[in-house]
Amino acid sequence: MSQVQRMSRLMAKTLRDDPADAETLSHKLLVRAGYVRRTSAGLWSWLPLGKKVLDNISRVVREEMDAIGAQEVLLPALLPKEPYEASGRWDEYGDLLFRLKDRKGGDYLLGPTHEEIFTQVVKDQCTSYKDLPVMLYQIQTKYRDEARPRSGVLRGREFQMKDSYSFDTTDEGLAESYALHRAAYQKIFTRIGLDYRIVSAVSGAMGGSDSEEFLAPAGAGEDTFADCPNCDYAANTEAVTFQGAVAETVEHGPVEELDTPDTPTIETLAAHLGVPASATLKNLLVKVDGEITAVGVPGDREVDLGKLGEHLAPAVVELVTAEDFEDRPDLVRGYVGPQGLKIRYIADPRVAPGTAWVTGANKPDTHARDVVVGRDFEVDDYLDVVVVEAGDPCPACGTGLNLDRAIEIGHIFQLGRKYADTFQLDVLGQQGKPVRVTMGSYGIGVSRAVAAIAEQTADEQGLCWPREIAPADVHVVAAGKALQTELAVDVSEQLAAAGLRVLVDERPGVSPGVKFTDAELIGVPKILVAGRRSADGVVELKDRRTGEREELTVAEAVARLTA
Ligand code: ATP
Ligand code: MG
């Protein structure tokens, strides 16, 4: 089969203008270069060029998964409700889950990820410790009814994921399966040409190894990660912890009440008193399982409700509403202070014992100064709840952290026995007794990776693929005249015979300018032009990334490209 794809036959209509709804560079370029077309919100059709890139990534993923001994399977995407009800995720997923009914009224879902089903498959297939360890993977379409399916294929409602699952009888076995996946992911992302960082997705000073994310730094990313310029600490900001401030021992004067009319916000208060916002104590009221609770953080910091929710889970955290104040004269809106409060008080570790604060006096239009932690009020629970900011200390070495945007492209996770417990996944152990299996779960966003690579590699002119995943190895352009077209087709065949994947632009009646622009836009790493000197058998070879050009004889060009 010929490896030459003629542009005259290729279904890839390039566009000069960005699609109106596109926010990110990859979204614009993948549409403009004819790789994908939007079918509906978050639903994308992959056209021939896009499908090639997608398949190339899948091939690399497959090779590296096979290399660690994982076995490929394919499970249904349409799934019955019961296993997800058993694990609790039928409810936990909320609106993210696509739910549907069959003709008999039975409940089904479109799989967002498959821990439940893999657990059941292994329970059915593996009965003895001799059947383990086992690692299974699939490359499959996943469904999530994302709230904001923006950014093209970066966040689809239907997308391609490689998901794999490991099954071991011991914790050491799980650690090994996890390490194998981690190493395979490093190879995959290096091969597909992604610049990536491995960051801890769990809190803890040194970061745990039991959950890590692979992030592709990119401005278009929706994740923020903290990165230490001094040591190798890197973590998702949600996982960064603050290593507790030291208790203060200086003496502070007694609490002093201050008349502060019209200062219900930190900004108005700080301006009125002429103190920095960081000297004030902000008390956010929330409901924890319905019970009103105060959360104290320095006035210049924001509470991360996600972090708070994670600390307090499974309790449900909600913001208070005006109604919650109705029968609570003790809670003076805008003027709450922890001293004398009769509700649970949670504080960030920066609100350290012995420190003095300006805070509400629990009276309208009144604040209090020199309110000292441990003297004037007690903290019930210290929880790390503020939004991490650039310059916050690295939990490992104390250096100020950098914050960067990134795209999550992979996630590896030691699940432990959660799903094995739900489905009573046991195998017969060496001693003849049942042993509960321990699991890992590992994902790669295959379709997301297409966009992530595009984000990282594209330039003003268009896409610019790393060779391993490019839709072709070389894009041959016939400048226009019959002789040039003949040469272009002839070189293309020689290159294909040498094993290269070739895209040749021999479109009649299309100007050389349009062909060059399209070649830059489509982003094949090498562009070979049969132009001015075609009669002498001389072509021009251009590197799409560096823009470097050289004039070569056809034989030289073929040798160069196949080297
Ligand atoms: P995100 O935080 O971006 O929503 P996630 O943490 O929910 O992702 P996982 O459940 O860890 O995603 O899924 C594994 C991988 O699948 C992710 O690392 C990501 O690369 C990819 N992925 C997740 N959601 C989407 C989506 N809506 N569109 C494309 N790829 C996705
Ligand atoms: Mg994830």
Side-chain angles (χ1 to χ4, degrees), residues 325-375:
F325 286 92
E326 272 170 14
D327 47 353
R328 296 297 298 256
D330 55 323
L331 301 176
V332 186
R333 225 178 169 179
Y335 297 91
V336 172
Q339 65 287 14
L341 263 196
K342 294 279 177 294
I343 58 176
R344 177 176 177 192
Y345 196 76
I346 293 171
D348 185 78
R350 289 166 183 82
V351 187
T355 50
W357 301 86
V358 172
T359 192
N362 301 311
K363 291 181 198 165
D365 295 339
T366 315
H367 280 87
R369 191 201 295 277
D370 277 333
V371 178
V372 176
V373 185
R375 183 189 75 180

Side-chain angles (χ1 to χ4, degrees), residues 144 201 211-213 223 408 410-412 448:
R144 294 181 186 180
S211 178
E212 287 166 298
E213 288 169 351
D223 280 58
E408 179 188 327
H411 195 167
I412 53 179
R448 177 178 284 186

Side-chain angles (χ1 to χ4, degrees), residues 12 30 109 153 158 160 173 196 256 260 327 358 390 473 499:
L30 289 169
L109 64 134
V153 298
E158 176 185 282
Q160 297 296 312
Y196 71 94
E256 181 192 348
T260 53
D327 47 353
V358 172
D473 295 307

Side-chain angles (χ1 to χ4, degrees), residues 378-520:
E378 296 296 334
V379 171
D380 296 311
D381 304 279
Y382 274 112
L383 297 176
D384 195 341
V385 292
V386 303
V387 175
V388 172
E389 290 174 8
D392 277 355
C394 168
C397 78
T399 308
L401 293 167
N402 293 332
L403 294 191
D404 293 298
R405 304 289 287 170
I407 299 163
E408 179 188 327
I409 44 165
H411 195 167
I412 53 179
F413 196 43
Q414 294 192 13
L415 284 173
R417 296 182 174 79
K418 176 172 182 268
Y419 292 91
D421 283 343
T422 300
F423 297 100
Q424 281 144 37
L425 173 59
D426 296 331
V427 291
L428 210 55
Q430 240 160 333
Q431 265 72 49
K433 288 199 200 106
V435 177
R436 181 96 348 144
V437 170
T438 181
M439 292 169 57
S441 130
Y442 318 88
I444 290 182
V446 174
S447 49
R448 177 178 284 186
V450 175
I453 296 167
E455 284 294 333
Q456 287 187 338
T457 56
D459 60 23
E460 310 270 271
Q461 276 66 50
L463 298 163
C464 186
W465 299 108
R467 183 158 175 180
E468 176 101 40
I469 62 149
D473 295 307
V474 52
H475 187 142
V476 179
V477 178
K481 300 200 181 75
L483 175 80
Q484 294 165 337
T485 305
E486 245 170 67
L487 182 68
V489 171
D490 179 50
V491 186
S492 297
E493 256 139 37
Q494 290 187 44
L495 290 167
L500 296 191
R501 301 165 302 145
V502 187
L503 184 62
V504 55
D505 195 350
E506 34 56 281
R507 288 176 292 177
V510 175
S511 78
V514 167
K515 288 182 181 172
F516 294 140
T517 311
D518 279 350
E520 301 280 318

Side-chain angles (χ1 to χ4, degrees), residues 25-42:
L25 183 65
S26 58
H27 183 175
K28 291 173 188 163
L29 292 176
L30 289 169
V31 172
R32 278 185 47 206
Y35 282 66
V36 297
R37 281 293 181 272
R38 182 179 177 278
T39 295
S40 179

